[in-house]
Amino acid sequence: MNAKSGRRRVQAVLKRVPMTLFLLLGIILVFSLLTGPAKYLKLSNVMNVINQCASGVGILALGSFLAICSTGVDLSLGGIASLSGMLTAKLLSWAPAPIGPALLLVLAIFVALAAGAVMGSLNGLILSRTNIPSFIITLGVSKICETLSRVIAGGTTIRVNGHAAFEFIGSGSLLSVQQTTMKGARVITRSIGILPVSVLIMLALYVLFSLLMRRTPFGTYVYAIGGNYEAAELSGIDTTRTRFRVFLLGGLLAAVTGIIMTSRLTAASAANGLGMEFDGIAAAVVGGAAMTGGRSTPWRTFIGALTISVLRNGFSMIEMLPAMQMIAIGLVLIIVVAIDAARNRR
Amino acid sequence: MQWIKKHLATLSRLSILLVMFLLLVIVSPSFGTMTNILNVLRVSSLTLMVATGIALCMLVGGIDLSVGATIALTSILFGSRFQLGHGIGDMVFGIAGILVVSALIGACNGFCVAWLRIPPFLATYGIQQIARGLAYVLTNGLVYSNFTSTFQFIGGGRILGIHTPIIFAALLLLIVGLMLNKTTLGRRIYAVGSNREAARYSGINVNATLMMAYILSGIIAGFAGIVYTSRLNCAEPTIGSEFAQEAIAAAAIGGISFKGGHGNVFGVVVGALILTLITNGMTLLSIDSNWQVGATGVIIILAVLIDRNTAKKKH
């Protein structure tokens, strides 16, 4: 083996690493310099970011990726997450419940997923059979979900108290480490979960969707539709069914996000999750998806979702005002999509 | 006969409006009074103004989700910065300032859509976040109220017994209607919306036309913001959040196509009135106000499905 082939091999490996990873590392570097590496890179904050990703944009971004990859967009994901989270909380706070807590948990999760499936199917039914722009139908469905969520909430926050099994989904961990810190003269010992259940669910879903996109006809069809709709239809792909499934899966993924979100907060308010669909789009596009469809993979989307979570966490760490965060996220969304559009024009 | 055929869609919308009106009169006798009719017109006039702006963006094949935030930001700017004194001159300066700022917001939208080629709903959402964020930053947690009585007249006064917002909305419709039908800009807007490539090859400056549509939508939203602030006699950063979807619903019922190039301002008037009658009817039937947001969602979907220009079989 000579030096030349070695270099070539390094280049080949570098080519397969998505550029987004360098962007993510760059952002982490900037934030750790701004807040101090010891404070920013300590285990509790790192796990915090990953947890926020799992209960936030992480799982939902897969739905955004699927919709964008098949040349659509799904603006109802945040609304569905809000509705599913609200339904879970409402059912679990049912008192006195006619059934045992274990059965109630199963029922709550089933109903939340069913709501996601129904709303996703509504998107899918309309969008697979007409050529109405997807943003307008999903916007309408989002408003319907938001309304249902508000009506169920009845103007308050629904709390879920004392349901250990349910809290385990969003806050539990299979493995924890003890970390001791000195605060003045006192020694504080904290237990930090390093294998959180919600993160494992998220990773499992990414593995599943990665296989789905690479090894099944469905994945091939989605890429084909995104690449060239006419050609996909002419080559005999059932585009109606594929588009329907894309939005159905999006609804289910948003419902999972809603359940984890409610479990982590042990409460649901109607505003939870609203607007998250735009984080999902930003994550998918940062990960390399093109708004014109047919590009990127689930794992690249994962890096995009991590990037968005790191940004949100970092803005809080440097104590940016919430209003300034709104402005910053708006700017990030515009810049990211503008770069994508410029790349496509070339 | 031919005239009926040509205007079939508009006539059917008008008849829906009439049927709804008659139903409401039968259900609630107080509905048909002049006071209530003027009230319905007053309520719908703000939605109508904003919808006219959004309709321009929809006619060029886009959308404007930033109108609510534009209303909030201009309202805050007027309350916190532009209302320097209490004289008429100060007020005129303030209103001029607002119109400039709202035109700038529209220009940002237009720049993102035309030159950066960002999908309109994403570009205007991003700008909306930035504008509302700015509104929060500028307020410092304050609510501005107690404007001068001259300013309050703009949104809350009456001329010959008719509420001022109705008069403003009517004037705006007249101007936009004439602009769309009688000027080259209007023709260009329709041309760009129905076939962008063809418009480009026939020598129309597509980017400039897109830009104008978004700037006009911004200015109209800013103007609606002035009227709204004056009527509320209050400026805070949370106002106006429901305007975008209501206006989109009104434009959709009014037959403005989401694919661009189809529809007219008269349709938007009927659309806004139908929407207001629905929400007014829901209030009369004492339905939880939360449902009204959902109703606009259902209406948007139904209107798009019914509209034959958009709901053709796919591709």
Side-chain angles (χ1 to χ4, degrees):
Chain A
M1 195 201 288
N2 54 27
K4 206 173 181 185
S5 82
R7 200 192 304 151
R8 210 172 280 163
R9 194 170 297 172
V10 170
Q11 277 173 346
V13 170
L14 275 181
K15 230 178 193 173
R16 292 197 54 190
V17 176
M19 283 305 288
T20 321
L21 203 56
F22 296 114
L23 177 74
L24 176 59
L25 293 175
I27 293 172
I28 291 175
L29 186 70
V30 170
F31 278 127
S32 58
L33 288 178
L34 282 174
T35 51
K39 187 181 167 200
Y40 183 72
L41 291 172
K42 71 180 178 197
L43 187 63
S44 61
N45 191 44
V46 170
M47 289 317 296
N48 196 17
V49 174
I50 299 173
N51 270 318
Q52 276 172 359
C53 185
S55 65
V57 71
I59 294 171
L60 190 133
L62 268 173
S64 310
F65 158 71
L66 280 177
I68 292 173
C69 195
S70 58
T71 67
V73 71
D74 193 343
L75 298 186
S76 66
L77 295 173
I80 295 176
S82 167
L83 174 62
S84 295
M86 182 57 70
L87 279 169
T88 318
K90 191 73 182 175
L91 281 170
L92 285 175
S93 61
W94 195 356
I99 47 177
L103 209 56
L104 190 65
L105 180 61
V106 173
L107 178 75
I109 290 175
F110 176 77
V111 169
L113 289 176
V118 167
M119 290 302 170
S121 311
L122 184 57
N123 286 326
L125 269 178
I126 298 172
L127 293 171
S128 61
R129 279 163 178 78
T130 61
N131 67 352
I132 300 170
S134 51
F135 81 89
I136 194 65
I137 294 297
T138 52
L139 185 72
V141 170
S142 181
K143 291 302 163 197
I144 296 172
C145 293
E146 186 186 332
T147 299
L148 291 175
S149 188
R150 280 189 201 289
V151 170
I152 295 169
T156 58
T157 302
I158 310 281
R159 294 186 188 287
V160 186
N161 292 322
H163 205 302
F166 177 62
E167 280 174 34
F168 191 66
I169 298 174
S171 318
S173 173
L174 297 185
L175 194 66
S176 299
V177 290
Q178 303 292 323
Q179 200 182 45
T180 49
T181 44
M182 299 287 288
K183 202 163 203 176
R186 279 192 306 155
V187 179
I188 302 164
T189 309
R190 277 206 304 172
S191 148
I192 301 168
I194 52 169
L195 274 182
V197 178
S198 57
V199 175
L200 292 178
I201 295 174
M202 171 173 73
L203 290 177
L205 282 170
Y206 272 97
V207 170
L208 183 73
F209 274 83
S210 184
L211 290 174
L212 198 68
M213 293 305 284
R214 275 164 57 186
R215 299 282 159 84
T216 66
F218 169 76
T220 317
Y221 295 167
V222 169
Y223 281 120
I225 289 176
N228 187 334
Y229 192 95
E230 307 277 305
E233 190 148 63
L234 287 174
S235 61
I237 291 173
D238 191 342
T239 50
T240 307
R241 187 188 282 180
T242 308
R243 290 201 85 187
F244 176 79
R245 285 181 179 171
V246 162
F247 286 99
L248 173 63
L249 286 172
L252 283 170
L253 287 163
V256 174
T257 303
I259 296 168
I260 294 178
M261 200 164 61
T262 301
S263 165
R264 188 169 155 83
L265 299 169
T266 64
S269 90
N272 284 355
L274 298 183
M276 215 185 243
E277 61 275 13
F278 287 97
D279 277 21
I281 293 170
V285 176
V286 168
M291 291 309 289
T292 44
R295 283 223 222 114
S296 191
T297 63
W299 287 112
R300 283 170 191 255
T301 308
F302 181 61
I303 300 175
L306 272 181
T307 310
I308 299 296
S309 306
V310 165
L311 272 179
R312 288 229 179 245
N313 168 273
F315 288 151
S316 310
M317 290 290 281
I318 60 171
E319 284 158 15
M320 197 186 254
L321 287 171
M324 292 304 285
Q325 288 188 31
M326 265 176 102
I327 299 175
I329 293 286
L331 276 175
V332 167
L333 185 72
I334 287 182
I335 292 169
V336 162
V337 183
I339 292 171
D340 163 54
R343 202 175 50 186
N344 284 333
R345 237 183 303 174
R346 260 193 280 124
Chain B
M1 224 24 227
Q2 223 161 14
W3 185 84
I4 292 178
K5 223 176 217 169
K6 198 181 162 198
H7 297 278
L8 191 64
T10 314
L11 286 174
S12 57
R13 269 183 210 103
L14 261 180
S15 47
I16 292 174
L17 180 63
L18 268 177
V19 168
M20 284 183 63
F21 180 75
L22 290 176
L23 273 178
L24 282 170
V25 170
I26 295 166
V27 171
S28 141
S30 65
F31 186 85
T33 58
M34 198 60 198
T35 331
N36 192 52
I37 290 174
L38 275 178
N39 195 40
V40 167
L41 285 174
R42 185 177 64 109
V43 172
S44 63
S45 58
L46 273 169
T47 314
L48 179 53
M49 282 189 219
V50 180
T52 314
I54 286 190
L56 291 176
C57 297
M58 283 165 70
L59 283 176
V60 291
I63 192 82
D64 190 350
L65 299 179
S66 71
V67 285
T70 305
I71 289 175
L73 178 60
T74 52
S75 174
I76 289 297
L77 270 178
F78 188 83
S80 67
R81 298 292 194 280
F82 289 157
Q83 206 197 21
L84 302 169
H86 293 284
I88 299 274
D90 289 324
M91 191 183 81
V92 171
F93 170 77
I95 291 174
I98 280 188
L99 294 179
V100 171
V101 171
S102 51
L104 277 176
I105 298 174
C108 288
N109 283 326
F111 177 75
C112 288
V113 171
W115 272 279
L116 299 184
R117 307 277 173 87
I118 300 176
F121 73 92
L122 274 178
T124 53
Y125 175 82
I127 297 292
Q128 178 234 348
Q129 288 290 91
I130 295 169
R132 202 173 280 283
L134 278 175
Y136 276 106
V137 172
L138 287 173
T139 45
N140 306 317
L142 293 172
V143 173
Y144 300 90
S145 57
N146 290 325
F147 294 107
T148 59
S149 56
T150 336
F151 182 67
Q152 284 184 44
F153 182 79
I154 294 177
R158 284 164 185 244
I159 296 169
L160 302 173
I162 300 170
H163 302 276
T164 41
I166 304 175
I167 297 169
F168 284 131
L171 280 175
L172 181 73
L173 280 168
L174 192 71
I175 296 169
V176 175
L178 283 176
M179 187 273 286
L180 278 177
N181 291 313
K182 302 284 178 210
T183 67
T184 36
L185 178 63
R187 295 289 97 196
R188 281 180 187 160
I189 284 176
Y190 278 107
V192 169
S194 35
N195 191 335
R196 198 167 289 186
E197 283 307 303
R200 181 170 290 129
Y201 284 123
S202 61
I204 293 173
N205 187 341
V206 173
N207 281 358
T209 312
L210 287 173
M211 196 80 179
M212 271 316 285
Y214 284 95
I215 290 177
L216 284 174
S217 175
I219 292 176
I220 292 171
F223 184 68
I226 295 170
V227 178
Y228 194 53
T229 310
S230 155
R231 206 184 82 197
L232 292 177
N233 189 21
C234 162
E236 47 179 333
T238 50
I239 64 167
S241 54
E242 69 289 347
F243 267 104
Q245 85 209 39
E246 277 179 11
I248 292 170
I253 307 170
I256 306 280
S257 156
F258 282 96
K259 298 250 150 166
H262 284 283
N264 56 50
V265 184
F266 185 68
V268 182
V269 180
V270 182
L273 284 173
I274 291 180
L275 187 71
T276 312
L277 285 191
I278 291 173
T279 46
N280 199 308
M282 286 172 89
T283 313
L284 278 177
L285 298 170
S286 54
I287 296 171
D288 184 351
S289 65
N290 274 323
W291 287 107
Q292 290 179 7
V293 181
T296 53
V298 176
I299 289 165
I300 291 174
I301 294 176
L302 286 181
V304 177
L305 280 177
I306 293 166
D307 185 20
R308 281 209 260 138
N309 286 322
T310 44
K312 271 178 215 141
K313 175 70 185 148
K314 63 186 174 196
H315 297 262

